Amino acid sequence: MEWQIWTYHATLHWTTKEGVLSEKSYCYFDTTLLISVIPAYAGDQYDYKSAEFKEVASQFMCMCGCGQDHFECNMQGCGLNDSFKVEIKEMMDDGLTKDEIKDYYIGMYGEEILTAPEKKGFSLTAWILPFAVLGIAGVGIIFVIRKWVASNKEEVSLFDERTEEEQLEDEIVKSMIDEERKKYF
Amino acid sequence: MHLIGNISIYLALALSIYAFVIFILGIYKQDQRYVDSGKAASLAVFILASISMLVLFTALGTSQFQFEYVASYTSSDLPILYKLAALWAGNAGSLLLWTFFLTMYTAMVVYSRKMKNNPMTPYIAAIMLANTIFFYLILGFVAKPFILLDVVPMEGRGLNPMLQDPGMLLHPVTLYLGYVGLAVPFAFAIAALIIKSVDAFWLRMTRRWTIIAWVFLTLGNVIGGYWAYMELGWGGYWAWDPVENASFMPWLTVTAYLHSVMIQERKNMLKIWNISLIILSYALTLFGTFLVRSGVLTSVHAFGDSNLGAYFLIFMALAVIFSLYVLMSRYHLLKKDSGQFESLLSKESSFLINNLILVGGTFAVFWGTIFPLVSEAVRGTKVTVGIPFFNTVMSPILLALIFVMAVCPLIAWQRSTVKNLRDNFLIPAIISLVIIGLLAGLGMRAAYPIIAYGIISFMILTHIVEFYRGVKARRKVTKEAYPIALYWLMVKNRRRYGGYIVHFGIALMAIGIVGSNFDVETMKTVQKGEKIEIADYVLTYEYLAQRTEGINDIVFANIHVSKNGKDMGYVQPERIFYGSWEEPSTEVAVLGNLSEDLYVVLSAWERDERATFVVKVNPLVKWVWIGSFVLVIGSVFAVWNGKFGHITPRYTGPQRKVS
């Protein structure tokens, strides 16, 4: 793979001198072609846009500060994404599973490399807590409303006599009439 | 010129302190002359803030590189609009903009005709000025916008190319107007507590302020999303970045507040909750500023050279502690004269559920945002919390929210019955089920989007039913024609029907958000004349060329597009190489209609003009932008005064010596 990279470096340099691109464009290609061109040519078994590759690459966060995963990152000047993609693809071609590749990178970089916390250990709290809080608050709200309703039982029983009417309709009509009365009559 | 700039800042700081003190003295001594002096000082602070802005705009616009700020963020070749927009590209300038808005809002409140004879005025002004003092302390001693360089450079460093986008002209300004706008209802709430005026009057006074701040927050987020979509070249508009989250959280809490205030106005309940929500919203704006300025979390938005976080953290802590102290000291008052709930099945309950979901969603976003810090503190291990986490956690929460939005308008106040529910929801429910069936029949297999579209259609239908019932009820009384009845129905109930239009906007945005998850993408290297096929599109790469604009070189590819054999024209994705910036930027080419965007990025090219393109088809993205327009229209309609507006009441309560 490495010889391919250097070949592309050389051809780019030549391209620039020919004038298809300006001199200042050169720096860009010398550094960023690695990001975008190489993956399109590397290997045979897995395509870089295949669902299988996406599934594996998208679980790893690019550390270039783009805020995206290694499948999506196309940040200018990112020097990490290309080598990551090449490495992931090589591992996939060698038959490593998604989890094995994940374990490999966690071992190397820690959990920080993942786009989302793991669903085990302390990190599980990240997933559970929002729903736990919502659930507890939901139960609390139902409890509070029931308490308020219970303390207002008498008024409710009076109100019950009118509940068979179409209250929504009534409410709109009443507001219309009140409004008309205020404005015109 | 730097003297004028510096004097305007230090004088404004001194006058802010003076105004703050004189307002307090005016309240303490109950002397209107003191208060009037404070009002004049507030106006003077606003004028000085305007002068500071003008000085910095002039320095930026005329490339005066002796100013460190100008040299850091502009270059002489930069188009004038971006030279001026560089005012909010850096820490000091953006804080100056923030301060300018704060002083502007303070002057507007203090001199508002609606505030005449309102005893809350000096309290509100003092609270706003306390904020102003903090920002002027930062501008005067930490992030100074008018520092001069010892050696004047021949040329400035230029503006980051990513910021050279129309989004730069609008996104920060709208977001700041929203952020700073929340200081107004916060000040009203605290003032109401201090003077023990805890009825719903302060809510009515602040309704327009709050909605305007909310609209600007919405616009800020949407424009930011559009900017990211067009500029970053990744085909998305929302990445759950910590700073994006920071602006989303107050949006959620203010949305909750805008709904729960209706219960206080109608039932005199939830007073503590409403004040807590507005305190929380304001604290979240400071938290967002802390995130941007501290660099504690990795973000594409953060100001890289900032050490301001600690100051904002301390200020936020002080503001929250003070607010909670005032809130607790008035707890007994807030608990008095509270109304009652008649039934679990009522509009009041649905508002509470709506609040639960919105605040729960806020907590989920907050928790995900700070979890890397929590994990590091607890385990010593950093973790990353990115898009997969937020999508997984927030999707059910936001779907539940849309469902509540669907149900809430048609449930009666006080008490609803099974008959009500059947009458109101049967037809929308049946049609929504038919839509779900149709989507499944058309080949949609993923459960989440099918459920989402079912709920969204249910929401739209219930709102249509609400409009229909309103028109029908009005016609019973007035015998007007349908369009006339609809017009008067809406105009005379601006708040309610403006709110429903906002709901329609949210529904349209939700259609776009769900649809955009069905994007397809390919990346391919092609030779001239070679085709790329994606979805129903065939893209024929014709040639690569270069042109010059000013000192920038632009490399672009010309691509012919056809869809199902029909000629769609040409797209020209670009890479721009800047004369004053090392890295080039992407200019994506988008060929779009209401159903989908064809999104083309020029990724790289080679000597023989082979080029690599990333091509995406993003369905329904336009609906996100259309929905946001509808949302803004609804909000403006809701707060428009007009003949029947009655948006902001005048103060008619007991007179006091100072106001």
Side-chain angles (χ1 to χ4, degrees):
Chain A
M1 185 56 64
E2 203 166 296
W3 67 268
Q4 279 183 307
I5 294 170
W6 287 109
T7 307
Y8 285 117
H9 268 263
T11 52
L12 278 170
H13 192 212
W14 196 79
T15 304
T16 307
K17 297 292 181 194
E18 267 201 340
V20 175
L21 307 173
S22 66
E23 277 298 325
K24 66 189 167 192
S25 309
Y26 168 67
C27 295
Y28 159 65
F29 289 106
D30 203 29
T31 54
T32 61
L33 185 76
L34 296 174
I35 304 162
S36 47
V37 173
I38 300 302
Y41 285 92
D44 299 307
Q45 283 177 264
Y46 287 100
D47 181 76
Y48 280 94
K49 288 294 167 185
S50 67
E52 296 86 357
F53 185 80
K54 181 178 183 179
E55 198 183 344
V56 176
S58 62
Q59 61 184 340
F60 302 114
M61 196 69 157
C62 184
M63 299 295 186
C64 73
C66 61
Q68 291 174 275
D69 59 55
H70 274 300
F71 181 76
E72 292 285 358
C73 172
N74 61 352
M75 188 85 154
Q76 333 267 320
C78 173
L80 298 168
N81 200 32
D82 170 67
S83 53
F84 240 95
K85 280 184 168 174
V86 170
E87 203 171 55
I88 290 170
K89 188 180 174 308
E90 281 174 355
M91 282 192 266
M92 289 175 74
D93 289 343
D94 288 345
L96 268 70
T97 65
K98 181 184 168 187
D99 287 340
E100 285 169 337
I101 296 171
K102 182 175 159 185
D103 291 342
Y104 169 76
Y105 281 118
I106 291 176
M108 190 179 284
Y109 296 101
E111 206 180 322
E112 197 178 354
I113 191 72
L114 299 178
T115 49
E118 290 209 271
K119 289 176 182 167
K120 62 184 182 189
F122 179 74
S123 293
L124 189 60
T125 56
W127 297 92
I128 289 176
L129 201 62
F131 295 108
V133 167
L134 261 173
I136 292 165
V139 171
I141 281 186
I142 291 171
F143 175 76
V144 167
I145 296 174
R146 286 173 72 96
K147 196 177 144 196
W148 286 340
V149 171
S151 67
N152 193 37
K153 219 171 181 180
E154 284 195 7
E155 287 88 335
V156 172
S157 65
L158 285 172
F159 188 77
D160 270 346
E161 292 169 18
R162 300 192 296 109
T163 54
E164 290 307 311
E165 297 167 19
E166 293 183 350
Q167 289 169 31
L168 180 69
E169 195 78 15
D170 274 1
E171 190 200 348
I172 296 167
V173 173
K174 277 174 193 164
S175 74
M176 297 293 122
I177 293 169
D178 286 342
E179 202 65 39
E180 293 296 323
R181 191 180 292 132
K182 276 186 222 158
K183 301 292 169 201
Y184 297 117
F185 304 121
Chain B
M1 202 162 71
H2 83 283
L3 268 179
I4 301 172
N6 281 326
I7 287 170
S8 66
I9 283 182
Y10 292 113
L11 195 56
L13 171 62
L15 275 172
S16 305
I17 295 169
Y18 166 78
F20 176 76
V21 172
I22 205 81
F23 274 125
I24 304 285
L25 270 176
I27 294 163
Y28 180 69
K29 290 181 176 287
Q30 287 292 293
D31 190 331
Q32 186 63 38
R33 289 174 306 170
Y34 285 35
V35 172
D36 288 342
S37 175
K39 285 181 182 179
S42 304
L43 184 62
V45 172
F46 168 60
I47 292 167
L48 286 165
S50 310
I51 291 170
S52 309
M53 291 278 287
L54 274 175
V55 170
L56 195 50
F57 271 135
T58 308
L60 289 162
T62 53
S63 296
Q64 299 194 30
F65 297 126
Q66 70 270 30
F67 287 95
E68 187 191 49
Y69 192 84
V70 179
S72 299
Y73 297 104
T74 63
S75 53
S76 48
D77 59 283
L78 200 63
I80 184 69
L81 274 177
Y82 294 122
K83 278 184 184 177
L84 298 177
L87 192 139
W88 43 87
N91 247 320
S94 60
L95 287 171
L96 180 61
L97 179 73
W98 185 300
T99 312
F100 169 73
F101 286 146
L102 193 54
T103 59
M104 179 183 79
Y105 281 136
T106 309
M108 285 168 76
V109 172
V110 164
Y111 283 97
S112 163
R113 277 186 297 132
K114 301 275 184 186
M115 294 299 288
K116 207 172 176 187
N117 300 323
N118 189 333
M120 290 166 84
T121 309
Y123 295 90
I124 294 164
I127 293 162
M128 300 281 286
L129 281 159
N131 285 272
T132 310
I133 291 167
F134 167 74
F135 278 94
Y136 268 120
L137 283 171
I138 296 285
L139 286 174
F141 301 103
V142 186
K144 304 173 187 176
F146 299 109
I147 294 174
L148 289 181
L149 291 167
D150 294 332
V151 180
V152 180
M154 293 295 288
E155 188 52 86
R157 270 180 251 160
L159 188 65
N160 186 330
M162 286 199 189
L163 302 181
Q164 294 178 38
D165 182 276
M168 180 62 177
L169 307 178
L170 294 170
H171 167 64
V173 177
T174 47
L175 212 50
Y176 281 20
L177 278 167
Y179 265 161
V180 186
L182 289 179
V184 180
F186 168 78
F188 269 85
I190 301 299
L193 286 176
I194 293 171
I195 67 165
K196 301 177 182 175
S197 171
V198 293
D199 59 14
F201 176 73
W202 74 270
L203 297 177
R204 296 196 185 98
M205 287 292 296
T206 54
R207 184 186 304 149
R208 179 181 277 181
W209 288 105
T210 315
I211 292 176
I212 288 171
W214 182 84
V215 172
F216 278 123
L217 262 184
T218 313
L219 274 175
N221 281 319
V222 173
I223 293 168
Y226 185 75
W227 183 2
Y229 184 68
M230 297 303 289
E231 186 68 19
L232 297 181
W234 61 289
Y237 46 84
W238 189 262
W240 297 105
D241 178 271
V243 175
E244 291 172 4
N245 295 346
S247 59
F248 186 49
M249 285 187 279
W251 186 89
L252 288 171
T253 52
V254 173
T255 309
Y257 169 81
L258 287 169
H259 289 86
S260 64
V261 291
M262 284 184 250
I263 300 181
Q264 183 173 343
E265 287 177 58
R266 201 168 175 110
K267 313 273 298 182
N268 209 26
M269 298 178 83
L270 304 183
K271 291 179 211 164
I272 297 170
W273 177 245
N274 285 327
I275 288 179
S276 303
L277 271 181
I278 211 69
I279 292 171
L280 177 64
S281 303
Y282 180 65
L284 285 171
T285 65
L286 295 175
F287 176 71
T289 317
F290 159 72
L291 279 186
V292 182
R293 318 274 165 176
S294 67
V296 294
L297 292 167
T298 309
S299 164
V300 290
H301 298 76
F303 291 95
D305 57 345
S306 177
N307 58 352
L308 286 166
Y311 298 101
F312 277 91
L313 202 58
I314 293 166
F315 182 63
M316 183 175 72
L318 288 175
V320 171
I321 290 167
F322 170 72
S323 308
L324 291 180
Y325 168 74
V326 178
L327 178 65
M328 287 301 116
S329 67
R330 302 293 186 263
Y331 185 78
H332 59 289
L333 282 174
L334 294 163
K335 288 294 283 180
K336 271 173 53 182
D337 305 325
S338 189
Q340 296 291 346
F341 266 51
E342 276 85 20
S343 168
L344 194 62
L345 194 60
S346 62
K347 199 186 280 277
E348 294 91 318
S349 299
S350 71
F351 275 143
L352 280 187
I353 303 291
N354 147 301
N355 266 232
L356 166 73
I357 294 168
L358 284 163
V359 177
T362 310
F363 175 76
V365 177
F366 178 78
W367 179 240
T369 306
I370 63 155
F371 191 75
L373 301 175
V374 174
S375 176
E376 196 169 15
V378 174
R379 298 163 60 203
T381 308
K382 260 196 171 180
V383 295
T384 305
V385 182
I387 295 172
F389 171 85
F390 287 104
N391 281 351
T392 307
V393 172
M394 289 305 287
S395 297
I397 293 175
L398 295 176
L399 276 183
L401 181 67
I402 293 174
F403 181 74
V404 173
M405 282 165 71
V407 172
C408 193
L410 294 191
I411 288 191
W413 284 98
Q414 296 178 325
R415 192 166 197 271
S416 200
T417 62
V418 175
K419 183 177 180 301
N420 288 148
L421 295 184
R422 196 179 54 232
D423 290 350
N424 293 331
F425 296 122
L426 190 61
I427 293 172
I430 289 171
I431 297 174
S432 301
L433 287 172
V434 170
I435 288 170
I436 287 172
L438 276 173
L439 289 174
L442 288 169
M444 194 183 274
R445 288 292 171 264
Y448 235 127
I450 292 182
I451 294 167
Y453 281 127
I455 294 175
I456 294 166
S457 56
F458 182 58
M459 190 254 240
I460 292 173
L461 288 164
T462 56
H463 280 67
I464 291 172
V465 167
E466 176 70 350
F467 273 84
Y468 171 72
R469 284 176 173 274
V471 169
K472 202 172 89 175
R474 192 180 163 86
R475 273 172 52 82
K476 270 186 194 172
V477 181
T478 62
K479 312 290 182 207
E480 292 162 338
Y482 281 103
I484 308 274
L486 177 65
Y487 174 77
W488 286 116
L489 176 79
M490 291 175 67
V491 166
K492 290 188 175 184
N493 297 275
R494 283 184 178 278
R495 187 180 176 193
R496 175 189 283 193
Y497 290 96
Y500 292 157
I501 295 170
V502 170
H503 284 187
F504 276 128
I506 301 274
L508 296 181
M509 289 176 84
I511 288 171
I513 290 165
V514 177
S516 60
N517 287 314
F518 288 95
D519 60 320
V520 286
E521 178 180 345
T522 186
M523 185 171 81
K524 203 170 175 185
T525 302
V526 284
Q527 293 185 344
K528 275 166 56 171
E530 205 176 334
K531 296 180 189 320
I532 299 172
E533 293 184 17
I534 181 168
D536 299 328
Y537 292 92
V538 177
L539 288 79
T540 310
Y541 165 49
E542 296 199 336
Y543 60 84
L544 194 69
Q546 183 172 345
R547 68 173 190 274
T548 303
E549 281 182 9
I551 61 163
N552 300 334
D553 288 335
I554 298 169
V555 177
F556 64 95
N558 200 52
I559 300 172
H560 178 260
V561 181
S562 63
K563 186 183 179 188
N564 294 323
K566 190 182 162 194
D567 180 19
M568 303 289 287
Y570 290 86
V571 291
Q572 291 189 334
E574 300 174 347
R575 286 274 186 178
I576 304 177
F577 294 84
Y578 296 87
S580 55
W581 202 266
E582 196 177 330
E583 288 170 6
S585 74
T586 305
E587 288 297 320
V588 301
V590 178
L591 191 66
N593 54 40
L594 290 180
S595 63
E596 63 199 10
D597 280 357
L598 176 71
Y599 188 94
V600 187
V601 182
L602 172 60
S603 191
W605 55 91
E606 297 173 67
R607 175 195 164 194
D608 57 2
E609 289 194 56
R610 278 193 298 164
T612 303
F613 298 98
V614 174
V615 185
K616 296 186 89 168
V617 177
N618 296 327
L620 302 173
V621 176
K622 289 263 185 311
W623 291 99
V624 177
W625 324 128
I626 292 170
S628 65
F629 276 119
V630 174
L631 185 150
V632 172
I633 289 167
S635 305
V636 171
F637 184 83
V639 297
W640 195 263
N641 224 357
K643 194 177 173 185
F644 305 101
H646 312 300
I647 303 298
T648 314
R650 273 182 195 278
Y651 182 77
T652 53
Q655 297 296 309
R656 299 200 187 183
K657 283 185 180 172
V658 294
S659 59

